[in-house]
Amino acid sequence: MKKLISFVCCCMMAANGFGQQALGQRPQVKSPVVNNDGTVTFNFFDPSAQQVSVVGDFNEISGQTLPMTKQDNGVWTVTTKALNPELYSYSLTVDGQRFVDPANSYVNRDISTLSNIFIVTKGNDDKGHLYQVNNVPHGTLSRVWYDSPTLGQQRRMTVYLPAAYDGKRSFPVMYLLHGFGGDETAWGDLGRTSQIMDNLIAEGRCVPMIVVMPNGNPTCNAAPGWWHEGMYVPDGNAFRERGAKATMEESFMDIVRFVDSHYKTISKRSGRAVTGLSMGGGHTFGISRLYPEEFDYYGLQSAACRMPRDRQQFDEQMARLFASKPKLYWIAIGKDDFLMQMNTELRQYLDGKGYKYEYYENDGGHIWRNWRIYLTMFAQKLFK
C-alpha cells in the first residue's frame, strides 16, 4: 500500500511538473491585442521560423494571408486595418504548416478544424457586444441525453434555459439545427447561442425562451469523443455507411416529446419554432412538411432546400402547411452562398403558389458570421 501511495504521489508531482514546465516555456507574448482604434495586433514567438503569416476571416479575400514581420527578439508581428465589430476566427501559418496561436487560449472546432477566436466591439449596440459575455443574467447551457425510439438510440443534445427559467412558469421553445459536419455543440460554440440569447433577453429584444440544439446526424449519437465510438476524426461523414433506422426529420418529434416531458414548455404550436443552417435548414424544410401543425415558426438559414422530384406529394404537403397558416416562414441567405440557386427556386415556387413568407438577403456566403446574424434576427421575431 505504501508503495502504491508513493507511486501515485510521484505521478501527481510529475504531472504538476510538466504543467508548470509548459507554462514556463510558453512564449511571453500577448496575442491578439485588440487596439482602441479597432486594429488588431498578432504576435508569435519563434526565432527559428523562416516565414509566418496570419489567416483569418477578417481578410477581404478568402484565403488571403497577412505576412508577419520578424523582430530582433524573435517575435513575429502584424497589425490589421481597423476591423468592424464582430467575432473573428484565425490561425497561423508557420513555414507552410497551420497552427493555432499558442498565446490565445480561445479555440473553436468546426468539424475537424481548430481556429482561434477574438471579438471586436465598439459599443453596446454592435455585434461584438452581442456575441461577448456581458454582465447580464445568464442562462444555463447543458448537455442532455434523451431516448429516441424512432432511431433506437440514446442521443445527446444541448439545451439552453433562460435565466428566468425556474421550473414553474412555462416557456416557448426554439429548436436550432446545425449544418453538415456539425453536431450538438456547433451552435453553442461557433454560433454563440447562449451569449446571443442572454444579451437579447436582457435587453428586452426577444422573449425569454428555451433553445434546443440536437445532434442532426442520425448515425451518430453525439459529438465526436462523447459517445461509445470514441475519439474518431470528425469529417462530416462518420458512420453514414451504416445507414439509420429513420431520417432526422422522421425522428424529430422524439426530441419534442422529450423536451415537453422534461421541461416547463408551452407544449403547443404557438410555443414552438424550428430553424437551422444549411443541412439543418434542409431539416427544417422537411420538418415543416411532415409536421405542419406542430410549429408556428420556421426559419431556413442558407438552407439545403432541394425540392423533391415527387412534386405531387410535395405540392400536397406545402398546401397543407400554408393552409394551416404558420405565423412565420422565413428564408435568409447570403448573396454569395453556393446554395443561393436552390433558395431562389424555392422562393419562385412559393411566389407562384401565393404562399406568404419573409425573405432576408445580405452579403457574404455560407459562413458562421451570417448564421449568427440570422439567429439574432429570427429570435427577435418569435412568440410575440
Side-chain angles (χ1 to χ4, degrees), residues 220-286:
C220 297
N221 300 29
W226 288 100
W227 59 303
H228 60 263
E229 291 294 345
M231 297 182 182
Y232 58 89
V233 177
D235 65 358
N237 292 296
F239 312 108
R240 289 179 180 268
E241 72 282 355
R242 295 180 180 175
K245 292 184 177 180
T247 65
M248 174 62 173
E249 294 93 326
E250 290 167 340
S251 66
F252 195 73
M253 292 308 294
D254 290 347
I255 300 171
V256 176
R257 283 188 285 269
F258 177 89
V259 171
D260 284 344
S261 64
H262 286 73
Y263 300 93
K264 291 289 291 183
T265 66
I266 299 174
S267 55
K268 55 184 178 180
R269 183 182 191 183
S270 61
R272 297 188 188 125
V274 58
T275 184
L277 69 90
S278 192
M279 180 183 78
H283 289 157
T284 302
F285 185 46

Side-chain angles (χ1 to χ4, degrees), residues 95 174 192 197 203-204 217 256 261 271 305 311 319:
D95 294 337
M174 172 170 60
R192 306 291 284 185
M197 296 307 298
E203 295 169 10
N217 306 301
V256 176
S261 64
C305 54
R311 192 55 60 88

Side-chain angles (χ1 to χ4, degrees), residues 37-170:
D37 61 357
T39 62
V40 178
T41 300
F42 300 93
N43 298 299
F44 174 69
F45 177 77
D46 187 347
S48 64
Q50 300 299 307
Q51 191 174 36
V52 182
S53 58
V54 178
V55 181
D57 58 7
F58 45 84
N59 293 325
E60 294 179 355
I61 301 174
S62 178
Q64 182 185 13
T65 63
L66 293 178
M68 302 181 78
T69 302
K70 186 178 180 180
Q71 309 298 304
D72 293 340
N73 61 359
V75 174
W76 296 76
T77 187
V78 67
T79 298
T80 70
K81 66 179 183 179
L83 302 180
N84 292 323
E86 183 59 82
L87 183 148
Y88 295 93
S89 301
Y90 74 98
S91 62
L92 301 176
T93 301
V94 182
D95 294 337
Q97 298 295 313
R98 186 182 187 277
F99 293 92
V100 293
D101 187 343
N104 185 354
S105 300
Y106 300 100
V107 179
N108 273 343
R109 176 182 65 86
D110 191 356
I111 307 180
S112 60
T113 300
L114 299 179
S115 300
N116 296 104
I117 62 170
F118 66 92
I119 294 174
V120 174
T121 181
K122 297 179 181 178
N124 293 345
D125 58 350
D126 63 35
K127 287 185 289 184
H129 176 81
L130 185 64
Y131 301 157
Q132 71 181 7
V133 178
N134 294 308
N135 188 19
V136 298
H138 299 298
T140 301
L141 203 66
S142 303
R143 311 296 190 198
V144 178
W145 288 89
Y146 71 98
D147 183 56
S148 174
T150 306
L151 291 172
Q153 300 171 348
Q154 283 283 315
R155 297 176 57 77
R156 199 174 80 144
M157 59 186 172
T158 299
V159 178
Y160 168 86
L161 299 177
Y165 185 87
D166 59 4
K168 298 177 182 179
R169 179 161 64 99
S170 296

